[in-house]
Amino acid sequence: MWGGRFADGPSSVMREINASIPFDKKLWRQDIRASLAHVSMLSKQGIVEEEDAAQIIDGLNQIAQEYETEGVPENLDLEDIHMTIEARLTEIIGPVAGRLHTARSRNDQVATSFRLWVRDAMDDVYDGLSELRDALVDRAKEQADTIMPGFTHLQVAQPVTMGHHLLAYHEMFARDSSRFSAARERLNECPLGAAALAGTGFPNDRKLTAEALDFDGVTANSMDSVSDRDFALDYLMAASQTALHLSRLAEEVIIWASQPFGFVKLSDEWSTGSSIMPQKRNPDAAELVRGHAGRIVGCLNALMMTMKGLPLAYSKDMQDDKPPVFEAHDLLGLSLAAMTGIIKSVSFVPERMRAAADSGFSTATDLADWLVRDINIPFREAHHITGAAVKLCEERGCDLADLNVADLVAIDARVKGHSMPDLSVEGSVVSRKSYGGTAPEQVRKQIMLLQQAKQL
Ligand code: ARG
């Protein structure tokens, strides 16, 4: 390809370190699509004869069919997918194939093909997130009244509902969806026509190729166009944050499924046995989702390290942009599918959650709130009185709900003449009706709002 001024061929290591075909062959569909758009524009602009363009188009379509059925051949000498396609085109239609590369360079070509690939990847993740979000909303609706302990520091804090807990994850994944749509919008400018770095002297029409490739517009600076990989970093950043959320949800599932908790039972489909302990039902899929998050963040790190310190415009380091994105996308796709499957199929065990919610004096805040609301005691003092009541329960080995007014009067005389508040976990949950609170009525309201927003 650059043989004109080289006497010797490359060393075998040079050939190997130089080649990206083992991984960039994934871009073949996008590369052919971009070439078809490019050659149609060249012909429309009179840069390439119509007949030549027609031959190139037929040849490219034939290659697409070949790759679809036989896969992409891997010849390291051809370096990358762009040269592989061009070489095959030359075999099929002869030297006229060489006209395809008029008014472009591999630099804008790779930038375009990779953008198209990442755009599809973003759309995939967006769809995967929608399915997971739907599953969370469905399960939340079904579990809107199911009481469980809410935790802070993984210590029982206040009773909440499983529906509320699941909707918290819905919020995280909704933000992830919006990060992917914002990233897609930023990505959606076409760099094709920037050529090597300086633009081209041919009378090209960049708008035409951009439209043919469903871009919203064209990039404004040819040097930035060929050296920008922000779209790939945007993908990896959004992917990393999604992976963090998936990992947190995975950790909840792992804890909930453990015997001391027993809040959920994993379906057979999403658990594995042990080769030595017949009683085991392990949450391997959730553990791998937790593990994959680390690898996905590693991919983000890898591309950030590749890009840092690169002067304009293209440098060969940038060929290393694809493996981390491909790897992250595979891992994220699996993680999303696994977590969606787990959420759809997990069985909840309300008795265990209810019993755990009753432990740890989870309604202590309700007692303090009652002292404030009904007896007009400042909250700080109410907190102190409630602390003393908890201590009394610990000494007696009973719950807060087992205390009577006389017990409280002994702690603080101002309670005299009042009757005991409802300190049941049900009462606590139902009372937390503030907007976004855990009361089943609020959870159902949030679900209704989500369902309405989806219909818009
Ligand atoms: N294989 C290269 C890559 O993926 C194609 C771009 C080559 N450009 C160049 N100036 N050598 O990045």
Side-chain angles (χ1 to χ4, degrees):
M1 152 196 35
W2 56 73
R5 56 179 279 268
F6 283 71
D8 292 327
S11 98
S12 64
V13 175
M14 176 63 217
R15 185 171 158 269
E16 197 175 332
I17 196 174
N18 197 45
S20 52
I21 185 68
F23 52 86
D24 70 15
K25 61 184 188 179
K26 252 190 206 292
L27 300 179
W28 73 263
R29 284 192 184 81
Q30 290 74 17
D31 200 64
I32 289 180
R33 188 176 170 204
S35 287
L36 287 168
H38 181 65
V39 74
S40 304
M41 180 278 286
L42 292 179
S43 143
K44 182 132 190 280
Q45 295 298 102
I47 302 169
V48 163
E49 303 275 335
E50 242 171 75
E51 272 164 40
D52 292 349
Q55 278 193 62
I56 291 171
I57 289 169
D58 287 348
L60 287 170
N61 285 328
Q62 179 182 328
I63 295 172
Q65 270 173 17
E66 288 174 7
Y67 288 179
E68 200 70 72
T69 52
E70 293 150 37
V72 181
E74 234 181 80
N75 176 355
L76 297 196
D77 286 325
L78 292 171
E79 184 182 325
D80 58 24
I81 185 61
H82 321 293
M83 299 309 300
T84 302
I85 292 171
E86 194 179 320
R88 179 69 189 127
L89 188 64
T90 310
E91 282 171 6
I92 301 172
I93 63 170
V96 69
R99 298 199 184 278
L100 170 60
H101 213 53
T102 316
R104 82 171 182 192
S105 140
R106 268 190 305 158
N107 294 348
D108 60 340
Q109 190 181 355
V110 69
T112 306
S113 302
F114 194 28
R115 262 185 209 240
L116 290 173
W117 193 94
V118 173
R119 188 174 70 184
D120 288 346
M122 287 173 175
D123 292 344
D124 271 2
V125 177
Y126 192 92
D127 291 347
L129 277 167
S130 301
E131 206 186 324
L132 174 57
R133 289 168 57 190
D134 287 349
L136 284 166
V137 171
D138 287 348
R139 298 307 307 260
K141 197 168 184 179
E142 169 203 305
Q143 303 297 325
D145 297 284
T146 310
I147 290 172
M148 69 180 291
F151 298 91
T152 60
H153 314 266
L154 202 56
Q155 305 278 319
V156 170
Q158 293 175 344
V160 295
T161 61
M162 181 49 92
H164 193 52
H165 201 131
L166 293 173
L167 285 190
Y169 279 93
H170 181 275
E171 290 299 298
M172 296 181 220
F173 294 119
R175 288 193 293 274
D176 293 328
S177 299
S178 85
R179 254 184 291 277
F180 276 101
S181 7
R184 188 195 202 279
E185 214 178 300
R186 246 190 322 271
L187 164 148
N188 213 24
E189 290 181 341
C190 186
L192 192 61
L197 77 165
T200 175
F202 290 99
N204 66 353
D205 183 346
R206 293 191 57 204
K207 284 211 172 106
L208 204 60
T209 41
E211 270 164 30
L213 298 171
D214 296 321
F215 283 106
D216 298 327
V218 298
T219 52
N221 180 300
S222 61
M223 295 182 76
D224 177 53
S225 306
V226 292
S227 59
D228 165 37
R229 293 296 183 269
D230 288 0
F231 60 92
L233 287 169
D234 274 354
Y235 170 87
L236 288 170
M237 289 184 216
S240 293
Q241 215 152 346
T242 304
L244 297 193
H245 295 149
L246 287 166
S247 177
R248 293 181 72 178
L249 180 54
E251 176 65 7
E252 304 267 12
V253 169
I254 293 163
I255 293 175
W256 292 345
S258 70
Q259 282 76 5
F261 274 76
F263 289 3
V264 301
K265 277 211 171 67
L266 292 175
S267 68
D268 287 354
E269 257 189 316
W270 295 103
S271 24
T272 50
S274 154
S275 51
I276 178 163
M277 295 166 282
Q279 85 282 11
K280 289 301 272 301
R281 174 183 277 277
N282 293 329
D284 290 34
E287 292 169 278
L288 286 163
V289 169
R290 189 176 60 186
H292 285 0
R295 292 176 62 193
I296 291 169
V297 175
C299 292
L300 166 62
N301 211 19
L303 186 55
M304 290 203 288
M305 291 305 104
T306 295
M307 295 309 294
K308 76 168 235 340
L310 286 189
L312 296 180
Y314 178 86
S315 294
K316 190 75 169 196
D317 318 36
M318 292 168 69
Q319 177 168 287
D320 281 345
D321 57 358
K322 284 157 225 89
V325 174
F326 292 160
E327 186 186 352
H329 190 57
D330 286 345
L331 293 171
L332 185 58
L334 277 171
S335 299
L336 267 171
M339 196 43 75
T340 306
I342 291 171
I343 292 299
K344 280 184 180 169
S345 63
V346 75
S347 336
F348 295 99
V349 188
E351 321 81 74
R352 297 279 301 183
M353 294 191 257
R354 174 71 177 67
D358 260 335
S359 70
F361 309 106
S362 68
T363 57
T365 319
D366 298 86
L367 175 56
D369 287 350
W370 171 76
L371 293 167
V372 172
R373 211 182 308 117
D374 286 31
I375 312 181
N376 201 23
I377 295 176
F379 183 78
R380 283 296 160 220
E381 282 175 57
H383 184 284
H384 200 80
I385 296 164
T386 306
V390 167
K391 188 157 173 262
L392 180 65
C393 289
E394 279 173 338
E395 282 160 13
R396 287 191 190 164
C398 71
D399 284 332
L400 283 171
D402 300 328
L403 298 181
N404 56 37
V405 179
D407 295 322
L408 294 182
V409 172
I411 297 170
D412 193 296
R414 285 172 285 182
V415 176
K416 207 172 167 155
H418 292 271
S419 48
M420 282 298 283
D422 179 2
L423 294 179
S424 67
V425 290
E426 285 78 8
S428 169
V429 158
V430 168
S431 75
R432 300 199 181 272
K433 295 195 243 274
S434 59
Y435 186 85
T438 203
E441 138 187 1
Q442 266 301 323
V443 170
R444 276 189 266 273
K445 177 172 182 176
Q446 293 302 329
I447 291 171
M448 194 192 72
L449 292 173
L450 288 170
Q451 287 173 338
Q452 277 173 0
K454 225 187 132 182
Q455 274 151 19
L456 291 180

